[in-house]
Amino acid sequence: MTPRTPCVDLNADLGESFGAWTMGDDEALLAIVGRANVACGFHAGDPLVMCRTVRRARERGVAIGAHPGFPDLQGFGRRRMDLEPEELQALLIVQIGALAGVCRAEGARLAHVKPHGALNNMACADEALARTVVQAVRAFDPALPLLAPACSALERAALALGQPVLREVFADRAYQDDGQLVPRREPGAVLHDPDEAVAHVLAMLQAGGLVTRGGRVLPTPIDSVCVHGDGPQAVQTARRLREALAQRGWLASAAGAVVA
């Protein structure tokens, strides 16, 4: 069988500024990526930031996704929380609904949902939690795609429940042999060098799966590549990655068209 030619879009977590505090260079990243995962005010962002981010994404033709997380502004949504399923579903529905409302007011459309931070990491490993997350998305809109890490419990839950799913890999994170991300506290977990991140992504696309730090390949389709917008090298990494993918004919828009 002839291997499938890679064709992916780029996504970044944006809209994470809050009040007078600025996080990342959203304007620069919106000129590079095809998908924007917009914070919904619980882990980062605020109403004005949400509106401005959606507006600029719409003007750039960038697909807009809700990026809900735990209610943890101080910890940036990266601290674990143990919530009852009913409460977590309510938190997710409120956040998704808020961003969908902003999209409607700005003449845009909500294109996907991607959980943030600790919530995403926990749901990638916990089958029951993953099911709760997918059920919340499904309650809001059963046709709304979930942007989920490849080879994760979130992906499996979406497939099991019939929710559309887009599989993503991370340009700037290392993988363990079980497909989970290497914890941020461990050395080498975050790839700060843009060239290293680009090489990491190209290796996964060429291999047709996740490439772990132990050298394993976990076969999987890959639809999107994430560059975390809060890193100091985010713009440089995203720009180099876009150039490398475009040169190979592997870059698609969020709508699926190959970008020259």
Side-chain angles (χ1 to χ4, degrees), residues 31-232:
I32 301 170
V33 302
R35 291 184 185 275
N37 314 308
V38 182
C40 302
F42 279 49
H43 78 272
D46 62 35
L48 184 57
V49 169
M50 290 166 67
C51 289
R52 287 174 173 172
T53 305
V54 166
R55 186 178 308 132
R56 294 298 293 128
R58 177 185 58 78
E59 291 169 351
R60 289 281 191 176
V62 173
I64 300 163
H67 195 39
F70 285 136
D72 179 27
L73 282 172
Q74 187 172 352
F76 197 60
R78 287 179 175 161
R79 298 185 291 193
R80 298 170 68 91
M81 299 182 72
D82 184 13
L83 303 177
E84 291 296 322
E86 184 180 13
E87 181 180 8
L88 178 56
Q89 286 194 26
L91 286 168
L92 292 173
I93 290 169
V94 166
Q95 292 180 72
I96 297 168
L99 195 74
V102 172
C103 286
R104 181 174 179 179
E106 294 293 340
R109 180 181 66 88
L110 189 65
H112 65 275
V113 174
K114 173 185 171 180
H116 168 80
L119 172 60
N120 199 45
N121 293 341
M122 291 168 66
C124 281
D126 185 322
E127 303 285 346
L129 181 58
R131 191 174 183 88
T132 297
V133 171
V134 175
Q135 286 172 334
V137 177
R138 195 158 184 78
F140 183 81
D141 183 352
L144 187 61
L146 177 70
L147 184 57
C151 301
S152 70
L154 265 177
E155 177 198 354
R156 293 190 292 274
L159 293 172
L161 293 172
Q163 193 72 18
V165 63
L166 298 166
R167 300 162 181 87
E168 76 167 344
V169 297
F170 295 94
D172 47 10
R173 295 296 303 275
Y175 287 93
Q176 302 179 96
D177 283 346
D178 62 356
Q180 299 298 311
L181 295 176
V182 175
R184 284 180 176 268
R185 64 180 177 274
E186 294 187 18
V190 180
L191 308 181
H192 297 288
D193 180 74
D195 291 335
E196 187 178 5
V198 170
H200 180 50
V201 171
L202 295 181
M204 288 190 285
L205 294 176
Q206 288 166 343
L210 302 184
V211 177
T212 74
R213 67 175 179 177
R216 293 187 63 193
V217 175
L218 306 179
T220 178
I222 300 172
D223 302 301
S224 190
V225 179
C226 175
V227 177
H228 286 100
D230 59 310

